[in-house]
Amino acid sequence: MAEEEDFSSLPLTDRWIHKVWKVRKQAYEEAAQLFEKTPDEYDPVFRPFIQDPSLWKSAAADSNVAAQQDGLAALCAFLKFGGRDGALRARQHAVTPIVEKCLSSTRAATKASALEALLLFIEVDVPGPVIEEIIPVLSNKVPKVVAAALAALTQIFHNYGCKIADPKPVLKILPKVFGHADKNVRAEATNLTVEFYRWLRDAMKPMFWNDLKPTQQTDLEAQFEKVKAEGPPKQERLLKSQQAAKERAPAGGADEEYDDGGGQEEEPAEVDAFDLAEPQDVISKVPKSFFDNLSSSKWKERKEALEALYAVVNVPRIKDADFGETNRCLAKCMKDANIAVVTQAAQCIELLAKGLRRGYAKYRSTVMQPIMERLKEKKQVVSDALSAALDAVFLSTDLTECLEDITTFLAHKNPQVKEGTMKFLVRCLRTTRDVPSKQEIASMVESAKKLLSEGSEALRSGGAEILGTIMKIIGERAMNPHLEGLDDIRKTKIKEFYETAEVKAKEKPKPPPPAARAPPGGPKKVMGKKAAAGVKKPAPATAPPPESAPAPAAAPTPRPGPGSKLGMPKPGGLKAPQKRTLGGPGAASPRRPAPAPSPPPMEEELPASPPPAKPAPRLGLGRGGLAARSLAKPAAPSVPAAPPSPTPTSGISSIERAELEELRMANERLLKSLDEARHERSKLTSEIQELKNQNASLIEDHTRDVLSIKAKETQLVRARSDADAAEQTNDRLRRELDRLKRALSKAEALSAAGGPGSPGSPHGLGFRTMSPTHDDIYRDAPHRMSMASSLSEEKENGEGMPHPRSKLSPELRYTGSNASSGRGSPARGFRRDVSMEEKEPRGADMGASGYGGGYSDRAGSRTGSRSGGRDTPTGNTTTATSGMESWKRAAEVTSQLKARIEQMKAKQASRPQ
């Protein structure tokens, strides 16, 4: 007992960190009671905990579970009654111990207090810092701590929603917790994902869905089906700032405002993945060969280039960069003859527009017109891709920027383009959230009316749908003037579309002008009385009362009474007659002639009356200055009646007129500046168009240059192939020349073996004289090569000769080849002579050589079959003479062939390697 008394005498902060847990527990309980009894957040009891926020770390991480429970209760009381500053100081010290030590406690009360403390930390400020403190705990080695942290995140998003609490940091770590080894952690991750689906629907899937296992995806889809049957989620707890706004709102409007907020919360099913995703740099991932392949003459290469670009830009959000050249190429692809290329290009434009959003607005003018021009395509796949691309481009801009192109293509000569543009305009009107201006509405109505008279039913129905959608936006009353002149059938059709149209932009009723609100009721009454007085037109009679106007102007105290304004004459007891003048105008006429003789004094006082009237308009133009001047002006011009009539009808003073003139001048200046701006805009537009044309011409020149370069390369390849073929021909001719030389050497050896004196020898017949030398054969080689090369070319070209043997050399036939020479060849004459000399003892002398025997047999058979007259000596002499001439011709051919070979060698040596 003595120890307890000593402990109670210690200060609260000392007992807070005492080593005895009971002392700490009593300190926690006492602090909670003190916090609840404080009158406001500035009570001195909070000061020690604000100055030393680490006290809450020791309380949350208390080693004793009973003391820890009371410490968390004290923290909750502190957050409720201690104010925002103390909570912000304590947050960085207390959140991590709460998540690590308290959320996984075995005591239900401790877990509930810990979760309540986290929610109070968020309620005081914002959820972001608390979530940032919880996310690192998800990497804890203890599974139950991770599971408890996931459960806390689930409760945070369940109470405050994904509109207040940013889900992106948590969505990124979901694949990691889904891969945890502990099943309780995976179960809590599933609960958190289902909670996200309640708020975000399918927009969250691009963040993590592909990183999950197929079985996990299947289980989650089953859980999502249950959530779809539920109603839209609502925020269950409000932040302090929201509570203050709700209290400041009017009694009737507070609930409406909160309901509106809830109504806005009902739309998370339409949350876009663009808001959740991080921007990705895709311009650096575009293949370097993209532009070269896109300009290829083969449609498959162009399509493959676009498919590669599609894979790169297929991300939820794209980091802004310079995509000008890419969009110009995609716009050029809209004119491609292959519809597969057009479809793929439209899909790339759609992804770029969705990934950049507002950043794509600067490329709208580049791609929109080519896309709309291609709407003439009748295939549904292509038209769907083009329509999706147009819708994505429109989401990056607004109706004002797109309307000029839309109205232009609504008057296109192609009905298919008209229909596609009409459908696009209807989708724009349904999607836009901004109400079009009157000029834009007039332009759209005019174009839609022209569609009503088209020959196609689809176009007529589309024009009626445009008008019905516009009527849904601006209202039926505002649309009626635009429908004048239409027959009842068309109006009925428009009304049907008006009833079924669904739009996001609706004309709001204009609030009353602020000028009507500012003056409270006094000025309105005074202006009303003046107007009434002016309508009655008693101007000449009402001039006398301003005689006493200088006195009230100097002392404006009697102005508050409405009767004093009309009862300004000298005696103060004239208030009753003033009321009579208000009640009946007939009572005012007897009083008007009485002060009639006093116009001169009033004229004398008129110069003095304006100075006091000048300060009066600052306090209220309608009370002092207008009342005095409206009464004084009719009296000044007594003879002409024209001046008094306009002043009472206008009811404004000269100062107001001056202000009106200034406003008119300002309006004229604004109109002039607007015209100048329009002129400047048109000039800039024309310059932009010129630059576009120049760019297009440069692109065409570049394309032509590329094609010419490729053509030159093709020619070079062909020339190289021709050179190779020539080299092969040269080698073949060399081999043929060698073969001819060998044949000649054999023939000379044969002639030498026959003997010079024998009758059957070639020498006896003058063969030595007829036979050409090696040099002659070599000179005649080019001619033979040319004949052989022409034969090979004819074979390659398919031009076969009926008798190809006639082009071969005579030596080939002499050596026993199938390709024999002609009749006039010297070899043939030699064979005939030999056969004639050795007709009886055939092959006796030539039997030693197989070549001679074979040759003589063939020659004898041929000569015997032709004519018997050739066996005579006269025939032999003629044959010898013709053989000599043939050998001369062969020598000439050989010399030509040799020269041709030398020329080809020289060309080959001079050719660069």
Side-chain angles (χ1 to χ4, degrees):
M1 295 296 291
E3 290 180 357
E4 291 180 2
E5 292 176 0
D6 293 337
F7 293 149
S8 60
S9 63
L10 293 174
L12 182 61
T13 55
D14 293 343
R15 286 181 287 154
W16 192 277
I17 58 175
H18 201 275
K19 62 181 180 179
V20 180
W21 68 271
K22 291 184 178 180
V23 178
R24 295 196 303 270
K25 186 174 183 300
Q26 291 177 358
Y28 299 154
E29 294 174 351
E30 181 180 348
Q33 295 174 2
L34 292 174
F35 295 154
E36 293 175 357
K37 295 177 181 179
T38 54
D40 54 33
E41 62 185 44
Y42 305 104
D43 194 274
V45 74
F46 297 111
R47 192 174 303 159
F49 300 95
I50 295 175
Q51 294 176 351
D52 187 10
S54 61
L55 295 173
W56 297 114
K57 180 178 181 181
S58 60
D62 200 304
S63 58
N64 186 275
V65 292
Q68 185 184 42
Q69 179 178 339
D70 291 332
L72 290 175
L75 176 60
C76 293
F78 177 78
L79 296 175
K80 288 180 182 178
F81 305 105
R84 184 172 180 271
D85 294 338
L88 294 181
R89 288 174 175 269
R91 182 176 61 195
Q92 57 183 346
H93 296 278
V95 172
T96 303
I98 289 174
V99 178
E100 292 180 349
K101 304 293 183 182
C102 304
L103 289 176
S104 58
S105 176
T106 55
R107 292 197 169 197
T110 303
K111 295 169 67 174
S113 299
L115 182 59
E116 180 66 19
L118 293 177
L119 296 177
L120 287 173
F121 274 121
I122 294 173
E123 181 179 328
V124 169
D125 188 29
V126 289
V130 177
I131 295 176
E132 291 177 1
E133 294 284 345
I134 296 176
I135 289 177
V137 182
L138 298 177
S139 302
N140 197 293
K141 296 180 180 180
V142 182
K144 67 175 184 179
V145 174
V146 179
L150 289 172
L153 288 173
T154 303
Q155 290 300 316
I156 289 173
F157 286 103
H158 179 79
N159 284 278
Y160 293 102
C162 291
K163 186 177 180 180
I164 303 299
D166 186 12
K168 287 190 288 186
V170 184
L171 287 171
K172 293 179 182 179
I173 53 95
L174 281 179
K176 179 181 178 181
V177 293
F178 268 107
H180 202 278
D182 190 76
K183 63 178 182 180
N184 296 327
V185 175
R186 296 195 300 271
E188 291 296 338
T190 302
N191 296 336
L192 178 59
T193 307
V194 172
E195 184 61 34
F196 279 138
Y197 189 80
R198 290 179 63 241
W199 296 92
L200 305 176
R201 299 299 179 181
D202 291 334
M204 69 174 184
K205 289 186 176 180
M207 298 288 291
F208 68 95
W209 192 255
N210 293 332
D211 297 331
L212 302 182
K213 297 179 180 179
T215 54
Q216 293 173 340
Q217 293 179 359
T218 305
D219 296 340
L220 287 174
E221 289 291 353
Q223 297 292 330
F224 293 163
E225 291 297 329
K226 300 177 182 177
V227 174
K228 290 179 182 178
E230 301 177 1
K234 292 185 178 180
Q235 184 178 346
E236 297 186 0
R237 293 184 65 152
L238 299 177
L239 303 177
K240 288 286 186 182
S241 57
Q242 292 177 322
Q243 295 174 12
K246 183 178 179 181
E247 292 174 357
R248 286 194 302 268
D255 296 337
E256 295 176 1
E257 184 177 348
Y258 184 64
D259 291 342
D260 291 342
Q264 293 175 357
E265 297 290 339
E266 292 179 4
E267 298 182 357
E270 302 297 331
V271 172
D272 196 353
F274 180 84
D275 300 325
L276 301 176
E278 293 292 334
Q280 299 185 22
D281 183 14
V282 301
I283 193 68
S284 60
K285 300 178 182 178
V286 177
K288 296 181 179 180
S289 60
F290 169 73
F291 298 103
D292 294 336
N293 293 336
L294 200 60
S295 60
S296 174
S297 59
K298 298 180 180 179
W299 71 269
K300 287 187 177 181
E301 293 182 359
R302 298 196 299 271
K303 185 173 182 294
E304 289 174 358
L306 292 172
E307 288 175 349
L309 178 64
Y310 181 87
V312 171
V313 300
N314 190 12
V315 294
R317 190 169 184 175
I318 299 175
K319 185 179 180 181
D320 195 5
D322 184 12
F323 291 93
E325 184 66 23
T326 304
N327 282 281
R328 283 191 288 271
C329 292
L330 293 176
K332 190 176 179 181
C333 289
M334 292 295 107
K335 300 178 182 179
D336 201 290
N338 191 280
I339 59 174
V341 176
V342 176
T343 305
Q344 195 66 42
Q347 292 174 355
C348 292
I349 292 175
E350 178 187 1
L351 290 180
L352 280 173
K354 287 182 178 180
L356 291 172
R357 288 295 172 89
R358 287 296 175 183
Y360 195 79
K362 52 190 173 185
Y363 309 119
R364 180 203 63 80
S365 58
T366 305
V367 299
M368 178 166 281
Q369 291 184 3
I371 295 175
M372 298 176 77
E373 189 70 38
R374 192 66 191 212
L375 288 173
K376 61 186 177 182
E377 196 66 44
K378 295 182 179 180
K379 289 198 174 183
Q380 190 65 29
V381 178
V382 184
S383 61
D384 291 345
L386 296 174
S387 300
L390 286 175
D391 294 343
V393 173
F394 174 74
L395 291 177
S396 65
T397 58
D398 53 20
L399 184 61
T400 304
E401 296 181 7
C402 302
L403 187 59
E404 184 177 355
D405 292 337
I406 292 175
T407 52
T408 302
F409 280 88
L410 280 176
H412 200 274
K413 60 182 179 181
N414 192 319
Q416 202 73 19
V417 175
K418 279 186 183 179
E419 184 176 354
T421 308
M422 173 265 300
K423 293 179 180 179
F424 174 53
L425 178 57
V426 172
R427 295 194 301 272
C428 292
L429 292 172
R430 292 177 179 176
T431 307
T432 182
R433 295 184 180 273
D434 301 326
V435 178
S437 63
K438 292 183 179 180
Q439 292 82 1
E440 295 170 352
I441 290 174
S443 175
M444 289 186 289
V445 169
E446 187 67 23
S447 300
K449 284 183 178 179
K450 292 180 181 179
L451 293 176
L452 292 177
S453 58
E454 289 286 341
S456 173
E457 172 61 25
L459 292 177
R460 294 197 301 271
S461 178
E465 187 175 2
I466 292 174
L467 294 174
T469 309
I470 295 175
M471 183 186 291
K472 191 73 171 183
I473 293 175
I474 65 176
E476 188 173 359
R477 180 179 178 183
M479 191 64 184
N480 286 333
H482 298 288
L483 301 181
E484 293 179 358
L486 298 179
D487 53 17
D488 295 337
I489 297 177
R490 292 176 177 173
K491 287 183 179 179
T492 304
K493 191 74 171 177
I494 294 169
K495 195 66 179 296
E496 292 176 358
F497 284 111
Y498 161 72
E499 293 174 353
T500 58
E502 296 180 359
V503 296
K504 296 181 180 180
K506 292 187 178 180
E507 186 72 37
K508 297 181 181 179
K510 295 182 179 179
R517 295 180 183 177
K524 291 182 182 177
K525 294 179 182 177
V526 173
M527 292 299 290
K529 292 176 184 176
K530 291 176 188 175
V535 173
K536 294 175 186 177
K537 296 182 182 179
T542 54
E547 289 180 356
S548 58
T557 51
R559 284 185 183 176
S564 63
K565 293 180 182 179
L566 297 177
M568 279 183 176
K570 300 172 184 179
L574 293 177
K575 292 182 179 179
Q578 291 169 2
K579 295 180 180 178
R580 292 174 187 172
T581 58
L582 291 173
S589 58
R591 290 180 177 275
R592 290 171 189 165
S598 60
M602 189 192 70
E603 291 177 359
E604 295 174 359
E605 294 178 359
L606 277 175
S609 60
K614 287 182 179 179
R618 295 182 180 178
L619 299 175
L621 274 174
R623 295 183 180 180
L626 287 178
R629 291 178 185 179
S630 62
L631 295 174
K633 282 183 181 179
S638 57
V639 180
S645 58
T647 48
T649 55
S650 61
I652 59 175
S653 65
S654 60
I655 298 176
E656 291 176 337
R657 286 195 189 95
E659 292 179 355
L660 182 59
E661 291 298 328
E662 291 179 358
L663 291 174
R664 287 176 180 171
M665 293 175 64
N667 188 20
E668 291 177 358
R669 287 195 298 270
L670 289 174
L671 292 176
K672 186 177 180 181
S673 62
L674 182 60
D675 293 338
E676 293 176 354
R678 287 177 179 172
H679 179 68
E680 186 70 19
R681 180 184 176 186
S682 62
K683 184 170 67 174
L684 292 175
T685 305
S686 62
E687 292 178 359
I688 291 172
Q689 192 63 33
E690 292 177 0
L691 292 175
K692 287 181 180 178
N693 295 336
Q694 293 178 5
N695 190 20
S697 63
L698 290 175
I699 292 174
E700 291 177 359
D701 295 341
H702 176 68
T703 306
R704 284 197 298 270
D705 294 340
V706 171
L707 293 177
S708 63
I709 290 171
K710 290 185 176 180
K712 296 295 183 183
E713 291 177 352
T714 305
Q715 294 176 3
L716 182 59
V717 171
R718 290 179 179 175
R720 288 176 179 173
S721 63
D722 294 342
D724 295 339
E727 290 179 358
Q728 293 177 2
T729 304
N730 190 14
D731 295 339
R732 188 171 61 252
L733 292 176
R734 285 178 182 174
R735 290 193 298 271
E736 184 179 359
L737 181 60
D738 295 338
R739 190 166 54 252
L740 290 174
K741 289 180 179 180
R742 288 193 299 270
L744 182 61
S745 62
K746 288 181 181 180
E748 291 178 351
L750 181 63
S751 63
S758 62
S761 66
H763 297 281
L765 296 175
F767 181 81
R768 176 65 63 183
T769 305
M770 292 186 297
S771 64
T773 62
H774 289 281
D775 295 337
D776 295 336
I777 293 296
Y778 190 74
R779 283 194 302 269
D780 196 31
H783 181 66
R784 300 180 185 179
M785 288 175 62
S786 63
M787 289 191 296
S789 62
S790 62
L791 178 60
S792 64
E793 290 177 358
E794 290 174 359
K795 287 182 179 180
E796 289 178 358
N797 296 329
E799 299 175 359
M801 297 294 292
H803 299 288
R805 301 189 202 99
S806 61
K807 289 189 177 184
L808 295 179
S809 60
E811 282 81 1
L812 297 177
R813 183 177 177 181
Y814 180 79
T815 55
S817 62
N818 292 330
S820 62
S821 62
R823 291 182 180 181
S825 63
R828 182 167 181 155
F830 173 75
R831 287 192 297 272
R832 281 201 303 268
D833 295 339
V834 173
S835 62
M836 184 176 59
E837 292 289 333
E838 299 179 357
K839 178 180 270 188
E840 295 177 359
R842 184 174 298 176
D845 297 330
M846 305 294 292
S849 173
Y851 174 86
Y855 171 77
S856 61
D857 293 340
R858 287 193 298 271
S861 63
R862 290 178 184 175
T863 53
S865 64
R866 287 178 182 172
S867 62
R870 291 183 183 179
D871 297 335
T872 63
T874 306
N876 294 337
T877 306
T878 305
T879 303
T881 305
S882 64
M884 185 180 299
E885 293 176 356
S886 297
W887 279 108
K888 288 181 181 180
R889 285 196 300 270
E892 293 176 359
V893 170
T894 305
S895 62
Q896 293 176 3
L897 180 61
K898 181 179 179 181
R900 186 92 175 263
I901 291 174
E902 291 296 333
Q903 291 177 1
M904 292 182 67
K905 286 183 178 180
K907 288 182 181 180
Q908 187 174 3
S910 62
R911 182 182 302 168
Q913 296 296 329

